């Protein structure tokens, strides 16, 4: 008979079953547990539609003096990255959910490559708004292609998608891009719109490009999907990859996009300035509007980092001004208790509260997105109107800070610079291996190749039922506006 611990003996003598956690622990001590079936996401490859395609040879890293490939250095098709690594075990030791697990092909260099360095002509383009790290990605693509694979024909496409068919490409080399990572913005210049599929693919074909690196946000990735599909329809030997760029961190599937951590760092500085202004005034409110059209990741993470914020408003959850449990009631109490308050609002929050004309409801930008009104300016006006109405003879100040363009324009910090290098090199390795129509990015800390179509459709929204959002509310002590509104009805 096995020896029992004292707690086990006590439970047995009392006729009690051990708690579920102890049952699971005991079960796993003696038994292995199994995963649900794993589904590997298929990644497009040039050989899917080019039947006679043959490898161009072994990877030149074999002969690179700075690399010493050994067992495990090269990635093969059996190396995968799981989409979900945290799961819940049932007492029997089986995975409780989900019913199946997704896996993606791991990023990295392959033993065999499908592009000869002498025949490779690479094009790099940046599209959409600015983001910290864009120049770093360009630099690392150029240096990686040049030093790792010996590619000498590397070109930059200026002014976004329209640059393919309206501006002559510029030649790039490591000497030219040497210090680009220290500069904000994009040296290649960028623009929104200008997407003409036929003209773009015609230009790719006419210039003889056979590798295309597209850096941009969710709208740019949707355009990249169409380019990949048209290239495949024409049966061109052209590899297409997307590198997600969105300071809002709203691209789905991947852990985060480059520039996000720099944005949070800069946003925290803006919050600190707002806090100083508010604290230095009588009944002062510091109001900071941060980027985030459809997601509040910057506002959330900057709030957690700062700990000086009294209310964080994001697009994923509603708020209201007037009445019981509303924002104005909360700020009234805050000013009574502390004499000042700091409010952070993401640009996409409260858009349904701002009055719009018929023309404003129909207005779209060049990328087809609805033009948002300035929620910060509107909120500042509403706060002043409220105070004048309720406290007509008392001092009151609202200091409104919008650091949007300051954040977008700065160079990437150290963490984002390292990330940009990894994502650029992963993209190069993928195209050289013959993969196409993919995005590269970290999933649970491991870089993987994800089909472009999946990323273009996925969104990364703040989960307001997650512990992180609850952490925000515990720091700010702000009300649950949705619950308060329901209770007041």
């Amino acid at each position: 008979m096995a020896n029992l611990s004292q707690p086990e003996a006590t439970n047995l003598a009392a006729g009690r079953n051990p708690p579920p956690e102890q049952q699971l622990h005991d079960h796993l001590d003696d038994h292995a547990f199994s995963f649900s079936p794993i589904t590997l996401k298929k990644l497009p490859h040039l050989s899917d539609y080019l039947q006679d395609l043959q490898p161009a040879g072994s990877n030149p890293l074999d002969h690179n003096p700075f690399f010493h490939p050994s067992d495990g250095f090269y990635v093969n098709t059996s190396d995968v990255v799981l989409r979900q690594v945290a799961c819940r075990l049932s007492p029997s030791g089986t995975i409780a959910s989900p019913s199946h697990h997704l896996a993606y092909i791991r990023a990295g260099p392959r033993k065999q490559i499908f592009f000869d360095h002498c025949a490779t002509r690479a094009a790099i383009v940046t599209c959409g708004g600015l983001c910290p790290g864009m120049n770093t990605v360009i630099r690392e693509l150029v240096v990686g292609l040049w030093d790792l694979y010996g590619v000498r024909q590397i070109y930059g496409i200026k002014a976004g998608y329209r640059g393919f068919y309206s501006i002559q490409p510029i030649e790039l080399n490591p000497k030219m891009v040497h210090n680009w990572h220290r500069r904000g913005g994009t040296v290649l210049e960028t623009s929104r719109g200008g997407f003409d599929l036929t003209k773009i693919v015609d230009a790719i074909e006419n210039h003889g490009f056979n590798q295309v690196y597209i850096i941009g946000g969710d709208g740019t990735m949707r355009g990249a999907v169409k380019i990949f599909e048209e290239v495949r329809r024409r049966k061109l030997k052209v590899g297409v990859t997307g590198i997600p760029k969105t300071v809002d961190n709203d691209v789905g599937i991947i852990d985060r996009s480059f520039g996000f951590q720099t944005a949070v760092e800069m946003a925290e500085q803006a919050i600190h300035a707002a806090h100083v202004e508010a604290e230095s005034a009588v009944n002062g409110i510091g109001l900071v509007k941060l980027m985030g059209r459809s997601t509040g990741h910057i506002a959330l993470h900057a709030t957690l980092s700062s700990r000086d914020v009294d209310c964080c408003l994001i697009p994923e959850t509603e708020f209201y001004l007037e009445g019981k449990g509303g924002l104005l009631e909360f700020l009234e109490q805050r000013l009574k208790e502390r004499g000042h308050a700091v409010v952070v609002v993401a640009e996409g929050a409260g858009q349904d509260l701002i009055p719009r004309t018929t023309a404003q409801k129909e207005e779209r930008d060049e990328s087809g997105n609805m033009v948002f009104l300035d929620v910060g300016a509107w909120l500042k006006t509403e706060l002043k109107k409220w105070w004048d109405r309720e406290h007509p003879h008392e001092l009151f100040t609202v200091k409104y800070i919008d650091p949007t363009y300051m954040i977008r324009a700065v160079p990437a910090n150290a963490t984002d610079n390292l990330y940009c290098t990894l994502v650029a090199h992963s993209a190069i390795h993928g195209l050289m291996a013959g993969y196409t129509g993919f995005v590269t990015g970290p999933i649970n800390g491991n870089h993987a190749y994800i089909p472009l179509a999946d990323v273009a459709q996925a969104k990364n929204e703040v989960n307001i039922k997650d512990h992180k959002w609850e952490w925000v509310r515990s720091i700010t002590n702000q009300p649950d506006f949705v619950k308060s509104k329901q209770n007041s009805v």
Side-chain angles (χ1 to χ4, degrees), residues 440-479:
T440 181
I443 299 177
N444 300 311
N446 295 293
H447 282 252
Y449 297 138
I450 310 152
L452 256 172
D454 290 8
V455 173
Q457 297 169 6
K459 280 290 183 184
N460 180 31
E461 296 182 342
V462 172
N463 180 4
I464 59 173
K465 296 181 180 178
D466 182 69
H467 68 278
K468 196 171 288 185
W469 178 246
E470 300 301 329
W471 185 15
V472 167
R473 291 193 54 237
S474 71
I475 289 176
T476 62
N477 290 313
Q478 68 190 64

Side-chain angles (χ1 to χ4, degrees), residues 350-358 360-361 373 378 382 385:
Q351 288 295 318
D352 57 326
L353 300 177
I354 308 174
R356 289 175 178 267
T357 64
T358 302
Q360 287 174 330
K361 291 178 182 177
L373 300 182
W378 169 79
E382 292 300 312
K385 286 163 57 178

Side-chain angles (χ1 to χ4, degrees), residues 9-130:
T10 303
N11 283 330
L12 183 62
R16 295 195 299 265
N17 290 323
E21 293 83 359
Q22 183 63 43
Q23 293 181 44
L24 178 57
H25 181 272
D26 293 343
H27 180 87
L28 295 183
D29 277 347
D30 299 320
H31 300 84
F33 59 93
S34 59
F35 286 94
S36 304
I38 295 176
T39 301
L40 178 62
K41 293 291 291 186
K42 179 176 171 51
L43 196 65
H45 195 275
L46 291 172
S47 60
D48 294 343
Y49 63 88
L50 299 175
Q51 305 301 325
D52 297 329
L53 183 68
Q54 296 294 324
S58 61
N59 198 309
L61 292 178
D62 284 339
H63 312 291
N64 191 306
F66 301 107
F67 290 84
H68 302 284
S70 56
D71 290 344
F73 177 84
Y74 290 116
V75 182
N76 60 48
T77 54
S78 62
D79 293 322
V80 301
V81 176
L82 294 178
R83 172 77 180 272
Q84 183 177 355
V85 295
C87 56
R88 177 168 295 177
L89 299 179
S90 68
S92 63
T94 59
I95 303 295
S97 64
S99 57
H100 70 281
H101 292 261
L102 288 178
Y104 298 92
I105 292 176
R106 186 181 169 195
R110 267 58 181 175
K111 184 68 176 174
Q112 294 287 323
I113 62 172
F114 285 79
F115 287 92
D116 181 84
H117 69 279
C118 294
T120 300
R121 288 174 61 86
I124 304 168
V125 64
T126 55
C127 305
L130 298 184

Side-chain angles (χ1 to χ4, degrees), residues 276-330:
V276 171
E277 289 283 355
E279 200 174 31
S280 302
V282 177
N283 293 320
I285 291 182
L287 176 60
V288 181
K289 184 186 78 171
L290 297 175
M291 291 166 288
R293 288 181 56 86
S294 58
T295 64
H297 289 289
I298 294 178
L300 182 152
H301 284 82
T303 295
L304 291 177
S305 299
S306 166
R307 294 174 174 80
D308 287 329
V309 178
D310 296 285
C311 189
C312 177
L313 307 172
I314 60 175
E316 288 85 351
T317 182
E318 297 177 355
F319 72 93
Y320 59 101
L321 299 181
E322 309 280 354
K324 184 71 174 173
L327 177 62
L328 300 181
E329 181 188 70
F330 171 71

